Structure formats: structure tokens, C-alpha cells
Amino acid sequence: MPFLEDIKVGHRRELGTFTFTADNIKTFAREFDPQPFHLDEEAGRNSLFGGLAASGWHVASVCMKLIVAEGVRARAEAEARGEEIATGGPSPGFRDLRWIKPVLAGDTLTYTSEIESVRATASRPGWGIVHSRNVAVNQRGEEVYSFLGSVFMPQRGERR
Amino acid sequence: MPFLEDIKVGHRRELGTFTFTADNIKTFAREFDPQPFHLDEEAGRNSLFGGLAASGWHVASVCMKLIVAEGVRARAEAEARGEEIATGGPSPGFRDLRWIKPVLAGDTLTYTSEIESVRATASRPGWGIVHSRNVAVNQRGEEVYSFLGSVFMPQRGERR
């Protein structure tokens, strides 16, 4: 994790890919979103989605899974380079989450994250807030999911 | 599910309660958000959260679970009264999701939903869009989670 001063607007990182299967769609839906079009192929085909569709919250939770995995990789790489590593703070929330197109069984999404803004926070001296636009694109190149995430990150200056 | 014309701004419904336990917090986190403060009591105590904390995406997914369960109950009640029932459309996304305070192991949240706006959509004749403010409060009455959800609902007039 870089410090606030090291985070550049426009920096884009690929978070990874995930394939939604009938099995993982139904497993998530049974616990958190048991609507017919998330549980049953025929109900999905007869719905506006046109097929067995992943819960939007499943699509969102997988994004978090990939953000964490990318963070672990980035941290290992920074450690290997001998860089000082910042520990990020909590996320206060996010804005403008969009489920743009259905995610159907068999779809593979590629998630990316791009830094949209970086600023120091008046309310938390020594910290700043980073906004990132997180996006998922399916195997046909169609954008299916997007949200503007926020996370607190420490400033390097205050820690030294 | 009522039709668009039957949905009133300010109408508030209790969605239900859910207790976050060390076990369900860790189970969700292992699959979708494997950060130390979501997986380990001591790491949680040493974090800004001050205890084993639920993933924000877990708090959000439980809200969806309770929204679906409430919808099933409301539908059964409407059927029992012999009312015509509308089938809701998809959610295009939502705005302003806020994780306001940590949700720790042992916390019980009560989720409610209040209609914030109802309007016909120019882009989808026969439909409208409903915005609801969904909120979770813990056992001390503190608001911990909030988002402004959106869902397409059919108009009664167009279906007759």
C-alpha cells in the first residue's frame, strides 16, 4: 500500500478476473439474495435478465475479493523492493454503484481500478482520502459494473 | 409488491434484524474480504475497528437478504388480501452507501427502508423508479449503515 503522497490520479491497476458459474451464483443467492432469477435457470430465462443472473451484491463482493488479493500482491512486491509500507484505513463508503448489464452464468468479468482523486482530509490530520473508479467488463468487453470507492490512506509526512 | 401508483413517499418498513457473530463474520470474510481485522479477533482489536469487524459487503449483503425476505412476506400478505401484485424490475444501482460505524461480533442490527422518491421514467414507458433510504441501526441505537437504493417498478395503468 503506498502512502497518500505516492498515489497518482489516473493510475490504473487490473484487479483480476472471476468466472460466475451456475453453482457460485446459486450459492451466494441462497444465502443473501434468494430471488428466483438468481436461483433457477428457467426463472432467469423468463426474467428481464434473460438467463441465470448473479446477484448484484455477489458481483460487488467478488470485486472486494479481488481488491484484497491485489493489495496482498502489491504489498509483497513493495516489501521485495524494500519500500516502506502504509496501512490503509477504513472505507467510509462509496458512491454511484451501477449494475449496468446482467452478469449471467458463464460470464467472466475483468475488474480494474483507476485512481480518480487524492486529497488530504481536514477532519483527520495525517490522513487523506482516495477515490477510485472500480469497473468490471465482461468477456465481450461490455461494462457491467462500476462504483466510486473511497478509502482513507495515511500521509507519509505525518508518520516520520 | 405494490404498483408504482401505490408507493408513497415516507412509507417506512422494518426489514428485520440480524446478529453478526464471529463465525458468520469470518465465513463471509474468508470468501470475499480476507483482511486480518475481519478474520481474527486480535487483529480486529488492534485495528481502528477495535474488535473483530464484519466486512462492509457482509453488512450490505445481509441488508439484501432482509429486503428479499420482507418482499416475500409483503407479497404473501397482498395475495391473502386478494390484491393484484406487481413484479418489480431490476435495480440499476444505488448511491451514497455509507459504512458509518464498525459492526463488531455480537452486534445485532435492525434494518429499515423508507421511500424517499417515486417518479415515472421517460426512458421506460409503463415503469417508474423508486428510491429508498435503507438504514441499519445497532443495539445501542447507533446508525451504522445507510444507502439510497433504486429499483424499477411497473405502473398499474400500463398493465391494464
Side-chain angles (χ1 to χ4, degrees):
Chain A
M1 299 285 141
F3 287 88
L4 192 72
E5 293 89 334
D6 306 324
I7 301 171
K8 302 297 174 209
V9 170
H11 178 72
R12 189 171 170 278
R13 43 188 189 130
E14 186 153 315
L15 299 173
T17 64
F18 184 86
T19 299
F20 289 82
T21 64
D23 193 45
N24 63 37
I25 286 173
K26 292 178 191 178
T27 298
F28 186 94
R30 270 193 293 270
E31 185 158 2
F32 294 114
D33 196 350
Q35 300 185 80
F37 38 74
H38 299 321
L39 289 171
D40 181 80
E41 278 81 354
E42 196 178 336
R45 276 193 298 275
N46 295 333
S47 75
L48 288 170
F49 298 122
L52 181 71
S55 167
W57 299 98
H58 189 191
V59 174
S61 294
V62 166
C63 187
M64 188 68 215
K65 177 194 192 79
L66 297 176
I67 288 172
V68 173
E70 216 285 320
V72 169
R73 281 196 304 275
R75 190 182 188 93
E77 289 165 17
E79 281 176 337
R81 289 191 301 266
E83 292 173 9
E84 195 188 357
I85 290 161
T87 299
S91 170
F94 54 80
R95 284 183 291 167
D96 299 326
L97 186 147
R98 295 178 216 147
W99 290 302
I100 303 158
K101 280 179 176 282
V103 175
L104 302 183
D107 281 354
T108 295
L109 303 192
T110 300
Y111 291 77
T112 56
S113 180
E114 184 171 330
I115 304 295
E116 199 161 291
S117 71
V118 180
R119 61 179 171 77
T121 45
S123 59
R124 289 192 178 217
W127 291 81
I129 195 155
V130 176
H131 291 297
S132 302
R133 171 63 61 184
N134 301 296
V135 169
V137 169
N138 67 18
Q139 67 277 10
R140 291 179 297 280
E142 299 163 328
E143 204 169 296
V144 298
Y145 172 68
S146 162
F147 76 97
L148 188 66
S150 316
V151 68
F152 287 110
M153 290 300 295
Q155 296 180 28
R156 183 186 295 279
E158 296 287 327
R159 292 298 173 100
R160 281 189 167 162
Chain B
M1 299 284 142
F3 286 89
L4 193 72
E5 293 89 334
D6 305 323
I7 301 171
K8 302 299 174 209
V9 170
H11 179 71
R12 188 170 171 277
R13 43 188 189 131
E14 186 152 314
L15 299 172
T17 65
F18 185 86
T19 298
F20 288 83
T21 65
D23 193 46
N24 63 37
I25 287 173
K26 292 179 192 178
T27 298
F28 186 94
R30 271 193 292 271
E31 185 159 2
F32 294 114
D33 196 351
Q35 299 186 78
F37 37 74
H38 299 322
L39 290 170
D40 181 79
E41 278 82 354
E42 196 179 337
R45 276 193 297 275
N46 295 332
S47 76
L48 288 171
F49 298 122
L52 181 71
S55 167
W57 299 98
H58 189 192
V59 175
S61 294
V62 166
C63 187
M64 188 67 214
K65 176 194 192 79
L66 296 177
I67 288 171
V68 172
E70 217 286 318
V72 169
R73 280 196 304 275
R75 190 182 188 95
E77 288 165 17
E79 280 175 338
R81 290 191 299 266
E83 292 173 7
E84 195 188 358
I85 290 162
T87 298
S91 169
F94 54 82
R95 283 184 290 166
D96 298 327
L97 186 146
R98 295 178 217 148
W99 290 303
I100 302 157
K101 279 179 178 282
V103 175
L104 302 183
D107 282 354
T108 296
L109 303 191
T110 301
Y111 292 76
T112 55
S113 181
E114 183 170 331
I115 305 295
E116 198 161 294
S117 71
V118 180
R119 62 181 172 77
T121 45
S123 59
R124 290 191 177 216
W127 291 80
I129 195 156
V130 177
H131 292 296
S132 304
R133 170 64 61 182
N134 301 297
V135 169
V137 169
N138 67 18
Q139 67 277 11
R140 290 179 298 279
E142 300 164 327
E143 203 168 298
V144 298
Y145 171 69
S146 162
F147 76 98
L148 188 66
S150 316
V151 69
F152 288 109
M153 289 301 295
Q155 295 178 30
R156 184 186 295 276
E158 296 286 327
R159 292 296 173 98
R160 279 189 166 162

